[in-house]
Structures are given as C-alpha cells and as structure tokens.
Amino acid sequence: MNKTVDARGLGCPKPVIMTKKAIDEVISGRIDIIIDNAIAKENVIKLVKKQKLEYSVDEKNNEYIISIVKEGSFNEKDDAQKNSNIQENLVVSISNDVMGQGERELGEILIKGFIYTLTESLPFPSAVIFFNNGVRLTCEGSKSIEDLKILEDAGVSILSCGTCLDYYGLKDKLKVGGVSNMYTIVDTLKNADRIINI
C-alpha cells in the first residue's frame, strides 16, 4: 500500500501529525510527504528517524518530497549498540539556562555541572528537551555545547523548542541537536516513564 500526504501550506505541527497518521495507517509500502517549508521538512525527518524508517528527500522548486519506506531495513546492530547506553523513556526537561533560583552566576555553574554530569552517568536519558529560556543552552555562546554534543553522539535526542528559538531570535544560532515542535515534545513527554524537570 502506498500513500501520498500533501502538507503544503500547513504550519507546525500539522505536517508531523499527518505524517504520523500515515505511518500508522500504512502497514507496508511507500509514503510520500509533500512539504513546502524547510522547518516542516526537518520536523518530519525527525519523526521518521524516531520511527527507524528509511527515507529519502527530493527538493524541487522550493518543495520537498520525503519518501518513507515502511518496514524498510536499518542497521539494527548499530542501533542496539547505541541503545545499550540509553535508558529508554527517561527524559530530561530543561526550561531555563540556570539551575534553581538565586544568584544567576551560581545557577549557570550548576546547570553546566548538571549537563556535564549527564555525560558521565550511564545510562543516558533517551532525550533532553529544551524550552523557554532553556534553549539558550543549545545555542551559540553556551558553555554546555560540547557536553551536549557528547550526548547527541551517544544517541540522545537533543530537542530545542522551535517556537522558543524564534521568540528569542536564536534559530540561526543553534549549535547542537535539532529544532523541535510541540507535537514531538508532547509525544516524547507522554511516552516517558520518567521525567526529570530542571
């Protein structure tokens, strides 16, 4: 069974929701998602990667066709090796660029230490979500970029709220992880067995 989803002209998170619905409906086959903006393309690709499905992207005249193969093969061995260091469904949610209340300088030291400690403590969480002022930690100027890259390389999903990046004018300064959307954030939190809120 093949399916085509036309998500042109639709804002976040509708293209992601439509893609998820199509993936759930198609048992085996190809799903083509037609999108006309780069942010929606990135968000759909994140969803497809999370589903561990094969995909390809064609771009023409400022439109994108993301072709997804359901029941496609992927490198199970590599995934298993990465996932051995990851505690599935443990999510860290960070809403500020400091830890706790009080002196800002101390809060900056604490949040840097917290993220560093995440890199030194197995198993890693499956995802670290940044929203509101917390998105500053994934952007240019953050002292935690290198530690977050270590987590990302280990297979941890580093997600920054796209609306928050836009609000603070930081989307072009993102240095680690990807731009997320409210659908992905809600879905990740809903499916988490444990959530650590900072």
Side-chain angles (χ1 to χ4, degrees), residues 54 61 73 78 116 133 138 170 176 187 193:
E54 290 187 342
N61 299 326
S73 63
D78 287 348
Y116 170 75
N133 213 32
T138 59
L170 293 171
V176 60
D187 188 57
D193 293 327

Side-chain angles (χ1 to χ4, degrees), residues 53-187:
L53 298 173
E54 290 187 342
Y55 71 96
S56 62
V57 181
D58 289 325
E59 179 181 1
K60 187 176 181 181
N61 299 326
N62 296 320
E63 291 187 351
Y64 307 92
I65 299 177
I66 302 174
S67 298
I68 304 164
V69 178
K70 187 83 178 278
E71 294 187 342
S73 63
F74 61 93
N75 195 328
E76 295 180 356
K77 184 178 178 182
D78 287 348
D79 271 9
Q81 189 169 3
K82 274 191 170 181
N83 289 339
S84 66
N85 290 331
I86 301 242
Q87 183 172 342
E88 289 298 332
N89 299 325
L90 169 62
V91 175
V92 177
S93 174
I94 299 179
S95 63
N96 207 344
D97 62 345
V98 297
M99 189 173 185
Q101 299 178 349
E103 293 295 330
R104 179 170 181 82
E105 183 178 4
L106 175 58
E108 290 177 344
I109 293 170
L110 293 177
I111 195 68
K112 185 176 187 306
F114 176 82
I115 293 173
Y116 170 75
T117 304
L118 283 180
T119 70
E120 297 293 316
S121 177
L122 292 175
F124 299 135
S126 55
V128 183
I129 298 173
F130 297 87
F131 60 97
N132 210 315
N133 213 32
V135 298
R136 297 184 187 280
L137 294 168
T138 59
C139 293
E140 185 178 306
S142 167
K143 296 177 181 177
S144 295
I145 296 295
E146 294 307 316
D147 291 332
L148 291 172
K149 285 182 177 177
I150 290 172
L151 293 174
E152 185 177 42
D153 289 344
V156 178
S157 295
I158 306 295
L159 306 174
S160 291
C161 165
T163 301
C164 308
L165 290 168
D166 273 339
Y167 183 86
Y168 290 115
L170 293 171
K171 189 162 281 184
D172 293 336
K173 298 183 183 300
L174 187 68
K175 292 298 181 184
V176 60
V179 179
S180 190
N181 60 85
M182 196 53 71
Y183 174 85
T184 300
I185 291 172
V186 170
D187 188 57

